[in-house]
Amino acid sequence: MCGRYTLFTPPEELETRFDATPTRPLSARYNCAPGQELPVVTNDAPEEFRFLKWGLVPSWADSESVGNDRINARAETVREKRSFADAYEARRCLVPSDGFYEWVDRGGDKQPYRVAFEDDRPFAMAGLWERWTPPTKQTGLGDFGSGGPSREQEPLETFTVVTTEPNDLVSELHHRMAVVLDPDEEETWLHGDPDEAAALLDTYPDDELTAYPVSARVNSPANDGPELIERVEA
């Protein structure tokens, strides 16, 4: 799975790399976690970094909490699963990152590792996004105890990261990894037809990737500083 990642590349470099402008200031992130609003590039506004909540909430969901279990979508079933099929057809996105974390069980303790390109360059993970409108709420009691006028709720935009089989490097850490796109594949992922997009859901080779142990402080989303990406003794 992909449950945490980093994005500390300088904003100017990110804007150049993805040819996109943020809708709010970008800041260095060393522990991006589910439930947070994070920058993505969507197929309907590829010129912008928009901030969506991590954890996809399908349009048919009754509650926002549904997204807690949908931070990842399996590449093998993404076209069939009810939660993701519509988004796969019409709402794909790029999730910018410059590394992701995986945890290894070391006899009861889980040791986090960071996986990244050797030069820490940014890349795009394949993502899906969705727009969910919460059920309308009554504003109060009207005559004879009936509900007052309904109040329109603001739509919530969310995303998920697509995962696939790991390469040899990541397989030592976990049985899944994020779908990492080559730069020349990103346009097709955003705007290609479903079959063209499906051809991109493969495993990224490990030739240029590295993995190294980092502090267990990354376990808590409350921690988010550059010390989290420093190498430690496993």
Side-chain angles (χ1 to χ4, degrees):
M1 65 180 296
C2 177
R4 301 285 178 82
Y5 63 91
T6 61
L7 185 61
F8 55 82
T9 301
E12 299 81 4
E13 185 178 338
L14 273 180
E15 292 177 35
T16 299
R17 164 63 178 78
F18 289 96
D19 194 21
T21 303
T23 57
R24 71 174 78 157
L26 293 166
S27 58
R29 298 297 310 277
Y30 298 89
N31 198 5
C32 299
Q36 298 176 350
E37 291 189 348
L38 300 164
V40 303
V41 176
T42 60
N43 61 319
D44 69 336
E47 73 285 354
E48 295 179 341
F49 290 111
R50 292 163 55 190
F51 288 76
L52 277 58
K53 183 178 178 181
W54 188 6
L56 188 139
V57 181
S59 59
W60 45 261
D62 294 325
S63 169
E64 179 180 340
S65 63
V66 168
N68 296 341
D69 299 323
R70 291 166 173 80
I71 66 169
N72 292 155
R74 292 177 65 91
E76 297 87 344
T77 58
V78 69
R79 301 181 74 170
E80 291 78 37
K81 287 282 187 179
R82 184 185 178 208
S83 295
F84 306 120
D86 287 347
Y88 176 81
E89 292 287 327
R91 287 175 294 280
R92 297 191 289 268
C93 64
L94 307 177
V95 182
S97 172
D98 43 36
F100 55 88
Y101 298 107
E102 297 293 355
W103 279 257
V104 177
D105 192 340
R106 300 297 191 195
D109 293 328
K110 289 195 172 182
Q111 171 66 57
Y113 281 73
R114 179 169 178 262
V115 180
F117 282 99
E118 293 177 352
D119 59 2
D120 269 335
R121 68 178 180 269
F123 56 89
M125 300 183 290
L128 310 174
W129 69 280
E130 189 59 88
R131 182 178 291 114
W132 175 73
T133 302
T136 56
K137 292 183 178 180
Q138 302 295 323
T139 59
L141 296 179
D143 294 338
F144 307 108
S146 62
S150 61
R151 184 177 63 189
E152 188 79 17
Q153 300 295 298
E154 285 293 322
L156 174 69
E157 294 185 331
T158 60
F159 75 95
T160 189
V161 175
V162 183
T163 65
T164 188
E165 294 290 325
N167 57 34
D168 289 343
L169 177 71
V170 178
S171 68
E172 297 294 322
L173 312 175
H174 201 273
H175 64 278
R176 304 290 296 176
M177 69 175 286
V179 172
V180 176
L181 299 169
D182 273 323
D184 60 3
E185 296 176 334
E186 294 168 5
E187 176 71 17
T188 301
W189 176 250
L190 288 180
H191 303 297
D193 66 40
D195 289 336
E196 292 173 328
L200 307 179
L201 297 177
D202 52 4
T203 301
Y204 197 89
D206 58 7
D207 308 34
E208 301 174 86
L209 297 174
T210 185
Y212 62 91
V214 295
S215 169
R217 283 176 51 81
V218 77
N219 295 354
S220 171
N223 299 323
D224 190 6
E227 71 279 1
L228 298 184
I229 64 169
E230 294 177 2
R231 182 186 294 268
V232 301
E233 291 296 323

